[in-house]
Each structure stands twice: as structure tokens, then as C-alpha cells.
Amino acid sequence: CYAQTAQIRKIRKKMTDIMTQEASKVQLRELVKKLIPESVGKEIEKQCQGIFPIKDCLIRKVKILKKPKFDITKLMELHGDGGDDAGVEMLRPENEEAQNTLSADIAAAQADDE
């Protein structure tokens, strides 16, 4: 038994409403974390049960309709000015196998010059 056209339209409308509602509440990272365990798909199944019995509701594709606002002040609050934290030098020497080939070549050339 298949759903009628009016039921399909209602289900699609409900699905888009749920997706936009879920996406507008959280940031992109949290949205991806919600999509992976299929919690949004289960929510769509529950909401659309009154229209037509749905099983195995999976979200296959998500499209970003508009670019999120980029707030430079919020970015600066998160990262600060970044000038005072330059990192610390490693206390142990780098393993010989782990050295970059370019830095190893430079070190070898310096050793040959001496």
C-alpha cells in the first residue's frame, strides 16, 4: 500500500519543518552529531505516524540554504589575541626516524659545511 499524493505532501512538509527547526536550534557541529545517530529521522517517524505509517526514515542528504553569519568578535573572544601564547619548546629531542626529510637534509648540509 502506498501513500496518496496529499499524504506525501503533508509528510514532506512535516519533514522540512522538523529539519529546519532542528538545524536552527544548534550549531553545525551539534547538528552533524544529531544526524549521525539518526535521532532526527526517529523524530520524523514519530511526528508523521498520524499521517501515514513510516518505517526506516533516514536522512540521506542535507543542504545548507544560506551561509551562516560570521561574527569576528565572537571568534576573537574564543581565541583571544593569540600573541602571548606561542607554545613551548619540546623537552626531549626529536626521534631520528621522525625528522622531516627537508630538515634532515639541511642538518646534513650544515654538518658538511663545518
Side-chain angles (χ1 to χ4, degrees):
C1 182
Y2 293 103
Q4 295 178 343
T5 309
Q7 290 172 324
I8 293 171
R9 279 198 305 259
K10 287 178 185 175
I11 290 170
R12 276 203 191 115
K13 173 101 173 84
K14 185 72 89 170
M15 282 171 43
T16 54
D17 290 345
I18 292 169
M19 285 295 295
T20 52
Q21 177 186 359
E22 292 289 329
S24 63
K25 283 195 281 188
V26 295
Q27 295 288 326
L28 186 60
R29 286 178 199 240
E30 288 85 27
L31 179 63
V32 171
K33 288 178 184 174
K34 273 187 173 182
L35 290 173
I36 290 173
E38 302 167 4
S39 62
V40 179
K42 289 176 187 158
E43 179 68 26
I44 291 171
E45 276 183 45
K46 279 191 245 173
Q47 295 284 332
C48 295
Q49 209 63 33
I51 301 168
F52 191 81
I54 298 173
K55 66 173 188 174
D56 298 332
C57 180
L58 303 171
I59 296 170
R60 178 176 55 183
K61 183 178 178 181
V62 178
K63 186 186 223 180
I64 296 177
L65 297 177
K66 66 178 184 178
K67 190 171 138 184
K69 292 182 282 188
F70 178 70
D71 191 8
I72 190 74
T73 56
K74 189 172 182 181
L75 178 73
M76 290 317 236
E77 284 175 8
L78 290 173
H79 293 288
D81 55 0
D84 58 341
D85 186 18
V88 295
E89 190 173 337
M90 289 179 54
L91 299 176
R92 57 181 175 80
E94 190 173 335
N95 193 354
E96 197 166 317
E97 292 89 33
Q99 277 188 343
N100 188 344
T101 55
L102 180 62
S103 62
D105 291 341
I106 293 171
Q110 287 177 351
D112 289 343
D113 291 342
E114 291 175 356

